[in-house]
Amino acid sequence: MVAPPDNDVLWARALHFRHEDGSPGLSGVSLGVREGEILAVSGPRGSGKSTLLRCLSGLVRADDGEVWFNSVPVHTMGPAARERLRRDRFGWIDPAPVLVPELNVWENAALPLMLRGTGRRRAKAAALEWLERLDVGDRARKHPVELTHAERQRVCIARALAPAPSVLFADEPTAPLHRVDRAHVLRTLTTAARSHGITVVLATHEAQTAALADRTVSLLDGRCVRTVHLPPVSGPAESEGRAACSLSV
Amino acid sequence: MLALRLTLGAQPAVQIRRLLVAGASGGTGFLLLSALGHAMSHPDPAASALRLAWCTAPLAATVYLAVAVARTDPATRPRPGLSAVGLGPVKLMAISAATTAASCLLGSVLALLVFLQLRGDLTGMPLGGGAQQFLAAGRPLPLPAALTLLALVPLSASAAVAVSLRPREPVTGAGRAARAYGRFGAYRRTPALESFGAYGRFGRQLGAAARGRRTVTEAPAREEDGTQDEAAEETADGSPAVVPPPVPTAAPSGLPWGVAVLAVGLAVEALTSRTGSEGSPAAFLGLALTSLGLALVGPGLAHLCGRLLQAVRPGALRLLAGRVLMTEATRIGRPLGVVCAVVSAAYAMASLHDRDDPSAGPLVVLGVLLVAGCTVATLLTAAVEAKQAHADTTASLRRLGAPAGTLRRAAALRAVALLALFGPLTVAVAELSAWPLGG
């Protein structure tokens, strides 16, 4: 077993994963995430981005292959150890903002800190600071149901950033948003990550989002690919269709 | 047929809940048939009518259980895929009602079979002894009357399920803020106290701030909320936007009413004991009022319990336990209040009845067991419903790395807090109501 290179904070080799129903998830994905970089995992829907993130963050265990975090093997850990690792070192952002509806906004953002055992006062201060930075500071005392979708997503990002994780996993954080909100959310996320040296693994299926990242890994059908080839354009009828499409964009 | 297919293909836990409904329906059906038998073998219609009237308690408990079970039934939850193939909310409501009717019918048929068996209509060997007076063996059973009584449980249960699961449109557009009642003639909500002196001196009537937050800032914000949410829902590629479920933040309003009814009930009981008319309708009225008061007080007390749990600088554990209890106050508190009412009423009745002749012993025991079992099962089903409603949040917390132990401890803390509040209350009310009745 070879130890990973030192500058990679997270490192995966030959990950194989098969879903419970037998459908293929990942087949031999290897990648390394460097300290403090923003890595985009791009690919169409169903290409295994979310599965890769779940394997890397220890939410599920890969059938075969290795995951190393800071020279610690994640693939050999038990569920309790992985849970502790996830709580203490990792952050997670869902595609849809799932907040605890009973708690108000700042309590939601402070919840991971309080779950780690931080005192209430310090957790509140950190949560309010991050909410302020993500432009939802004035909504701190409202309940999630009173917020718009984009604001809830920003609260989710604040919740993930407040405990200062080593690695932040963002699973298509902007999928259900309009483009204006999308750009805002992404900009705040990447700016915050860069200013605090947080490593981000960002799953996305669009090129614009991937452009914000330092590096992009493309996935297709559960494999890492260099380039994604589009089907060739042939015949005048289809090219006309293409032209009409590009006009509408 | 579809209801039957969905019924047969369910999980074991769901089947057990449905079997509970069938059992409760069977017990209630048997009690109803016994009332019929009593009427056939006794000439006095008043006594039989009283027996029939007592059957309303198990009937109500059965219907309550059936509604709770139908609410937790995963087969009849609205699903986008099913809606696309024509199984909309209305059809699902119909399926729910049909499923409930099927379980209740099963119970009713069993009750009829057991009753006929005990009468000796099937084997020719009637049960002797004290059971003779409610079985009316030897007389022909009037079939229409028996069928009418047996149809009572399935019909009322399905009707209650249909009413409680009827599809309701969410309120569209910006909801109106609750009207605040201020000084006489004041319909608008002002941000601060607006006394006459301030009104006159500082010209607050001229500024925009005096017109209230609702008109100045809140209304546009709400409007924006609506459009934004719609827009977000449209852009969702495939999956609809996740809007968090509306959380009732206000306390349930039944607490004062419940306390008042409870106090009136206890007062009536004390009064009847002083006037020496024990066992009279007034004493039962007092008992009924006490039970109703306990049932009404349930949600408010559960909310209070949650509020106390999360008071004074809570950490993650108390915060999760208390806030969730505050939200679930109505869902959990109502069946809990009913359980407390049943327990205290049973205690009081036991202290009243221990000197009576045990003539109708087995039937009374069956009735009490039915009511108690149904209410406890309803409470457990409500707990399952609350857990199902929180499944999304729990999954998200687990993704954040929340330890499973913390979530489990939060649930245990809720249960302990409820027990600590409702247990002594039930005992106290039971003692108080048994004391005058027992003389």
Side-chain angles (χ1 to χ4, degrees):
Chain A
M1 196 175 283
V2 186
D6 280 346
N7 57 347
D8 282 1
V9 64
L10 194 67
W11 187 80
R13 199 179 74 178
L15 282 180
H16 287 265
F17 184 79
R18 194 165 274 276
H19 291 283
E20 272 181 25
D21 55 354
S23 47
L26 300 174
S27 36
V29 176
S30 302
L31 60 86
V33 185
R34 292 185 204 117
E35 178 97 45
E37 78 167 345
I38 295 177
L39 175 72
V41 178
S42 72
R45 288 172 73 93
S47 58
K49 304 184 298 292
S50 300
T51 312
L52 177 63
L53 259 63
R54 289 163 69 86
C55 281
L56 287 178
S57 67
L59 266 174
V60 294
R61 198 169 168 161
D63 298 331
D64 196 15
E66 298 170 7
V67 180
W68 292 77
F69 169 71
N70 275 347
S71 310
V72 176
V74 180
H75 52 280
T76 56
M77 284 181 179
R82 275 186 282 143
E83 183 185 289
R84 206 174 319 122
L85 177 74
R86 224 166 43 237
R87 180 167 73 243
D88 294 343
R89 311 304 296 273
F90 292 166
W92 180 273
I93 299 173
D94 274 315
V98 189
L99 297 167
V100 183
E102 290 89 7
L103 307 184
N104 66 24
V105 163
W106 79 257
E107 283 164 342
N108 261 301
L111 191 61
L113 275 170
M114 289 204 267
L115 282 172
R116 287 179 181 195
T118 313
R120 183 182 165 86
R121 189 188 299 264
R122 285 180 57 198
K124 181 176 182 180
L128 286 180
E129 194 184 326
W130 274 108
L131 288 174
E132 197 63 52
R133 230 172 267 177
L134 291 171
D135 290 346
V136 275
D138 53 336
R139 302 294 181 112
R141 301 208 163 270
K142 288 187 184 292
H143 278 265
V145 72
E146 297 168 281
L147 267 58
T148 63
H149 201 83
E151 283 169 338
R152 282 201 298 275
Q153 189 66 340
R154 269 180 270 151
V155 173
C156 273
I157 294 174
R159 179 175 69 173
L161 286 172
S166 305
V167 184
L168 179 62
F169 295 94
D171 185 7
E172 303 213 30
T174 56
L177 299 181
H178 273 189
R179 275 187 304 161
V180 179
D181 293 328
R182 201 174 279 204
H184 187 190
V185 163
L186 272 180
R187 213 178 304 126
T188 46
L189 173 64
T190 49
T191 311
R194 282 190 207 285
S195 61
H196 286 72
I198 296 171
T199 313
V200 178
V201 183
L202 179 73
T204 177
H205 66 267
E206 49 181 359
Q208 286 170 332
T209 312
L212 283 168
D214 298 328
R215 206 154 56 89
T216 303
V217 172
S218 297
L219 281 190
L220 194 62
D221 294 343
R223 283 190 177 82
C224 279
V225 288
R226 292 280 175 210
T227 47
V228 180
H229 293 288
L230 292 174
V233 182
S234 61
E238 273 199 2
S239 68
E240 269 181 27
R242 282 291 163 104
C245 267
S246 68
L247 265 178
S248 72
V249 165
Chain B
M1 276 320 282
L2 181 63
L4 206 58
R5 287 292 295 274
L6 285 176
T7 307
L8 291 179
Q11 300 278 326
V14 181
Q15 299 288 22
I16 286 175
R17 290 203 286 269
R18 285 182 189 144
L19 281 180
L20 276 179
V21 173
S25 154
T28 310
F30 187 80
L31 285 179
L32 288 168
L33 286 179
S34 304
L36 176 66
H38 187 268
M40 275 156 48
S41 57
H42 288 74
D44 182 19
S48 305
L50 187 62
R51 284 189 165 225
L52 196 60
W54 272 111
C55 287
T56 48
L59 179 65
T62 306
V63 170
Y64 196 36
L65 175 64
V67 170
V69 167
R71 274 174 181 280
T72 53
D73 200 342
T76 52
R77 189 155 310 139
R79 280 171 284 192
L82 281 187
S83 188
V85 298
L87 275 179
V90 179
K91 184 82 178 167
L92 282 178
M93 174 195 77
I95 286 181
S96 249
T99 311
T100 310
S103 347
C104 289
L105 268 181
L106 176 67
S108 292
V109 168
L110 282 180
L112 183 63
L113 286 179
V114 169
F115 192 70
L116 289 179
Q117 168 77 23
L118 289 182
R119 269 168 59 89
D121 284 359
L122 299 179
T123 56
M125 277 173 56
L127 196 69
Q132 199 51 249
Q133 60 161 335
F134 66 84
L135 287 178
R139 294 163 196 263
L141 188 70
L143 200 61
L147 289 187
T148 307
L149 282 179
L150 282 180
L152 200 57
V153 182
L155 283 184
S156 50
S158 333
V161 165
V163 168
S164 74
L165 293 184
R166 70 188 183 278
R168 265 169 284 197
E169 285 287 322
V171 180
T172 49
R176 288 184 56 175
R179 188 200 280 176
Y181 292 101
R183 336 174 289 283
F184 178 72
Y187 285 117
R188 65 185 191 209
R189 183 186 290 171
T190 47
L193 179 71
E194 190 181 283
S195 64
F196 178 74
Y199 184 88
R201 273 200 304 276
F202 305 122
R204 292 181 68 154
Q205 79 278 15
L206 304 173
R211 259 177 256 129
R213 272 176 304 175
R214 193 174 58 171
T215 50
V216 177
T217 57
E218 218 169 89
R222 275 188 174 277
E223 216 167 77
E224 196 183 21
D225 276 5
T227 50
Q228 286 265 351
D229 272 349
E230 275 170 21
E233 243 164 279
E234 279 166 18
T235 52
D237 42 0
S239 60
V242 180
V243 179
V247 172
T249 43
S253 57
L255 192 55
W257 280 106
V259 171
V261 172
L262 187 62
V264 168
L266 287 176
V268 167
E269 280 178 20
L271 199 66
T272 52
S273 80
R274 177 174 286 188
T275 51
S277 54
E278 287 171 25
S280 66
F284 282 109
L285 178 71
L287 195 59
L289 280 180
T290 314
S291 304
L292 181 67
L294 261 182
L296 280 179
V297 125
L301 275 188
H303 190 269
L304 185 69
C305 203
R307 186 171 285 268
L308 288 179
L309 260 185
Q310 57 94 49
V312 193
R313 309 178 59 78
L317 181 67
R318 279 201 296 138
L319 201 58
L320 281 177
R323 287 293 171 81
V324 171
L325 189 53
M326 279 166 75
T327 320
E328 299 292 325
T330 311
R331 196 178 283 165
I332 294 290
R334 196 165 288 157
L336 192 56
V338 171
V339 167
C340 289
V342 166
V343 168
S344 74
Y347 185 86
M349 297 285 277
S351 67
L352 185 69
H353 266 279
D354 55 1
R355 298 157 303 168
D356 279 2
D357 55 335
S359 60
L363 285 188
V364 169
V365 169
L366 176 63
V368 169
L369 277 183
L370 257 183
V371 173
C374 278
T375 45
V376 170
T378 307
L379 177 60
L380 295 180
T381 314
V384 170
E385 189 190 352
K387 191 184 166 193
Q388 284 176 354
H390 277 268
D392 274 352
T393 314
T394 312
S396 131
L397 284 177
R398 301 279 295 137
R399 278 198 293 278
L400 279 182
T406 304
L407 301 180
R408 233 174 281 137
R409 254 175 299 170
L413 190 60
R414 279 198 288 275
V416 168
L418 284 179
L419 206 62
L421 190 66
F422 278 83
L425 175 77
T426 311
V427 171
V429 170
E431 282 290 336
L432 276 180
S433 50
W435 176 50
L437 285 180

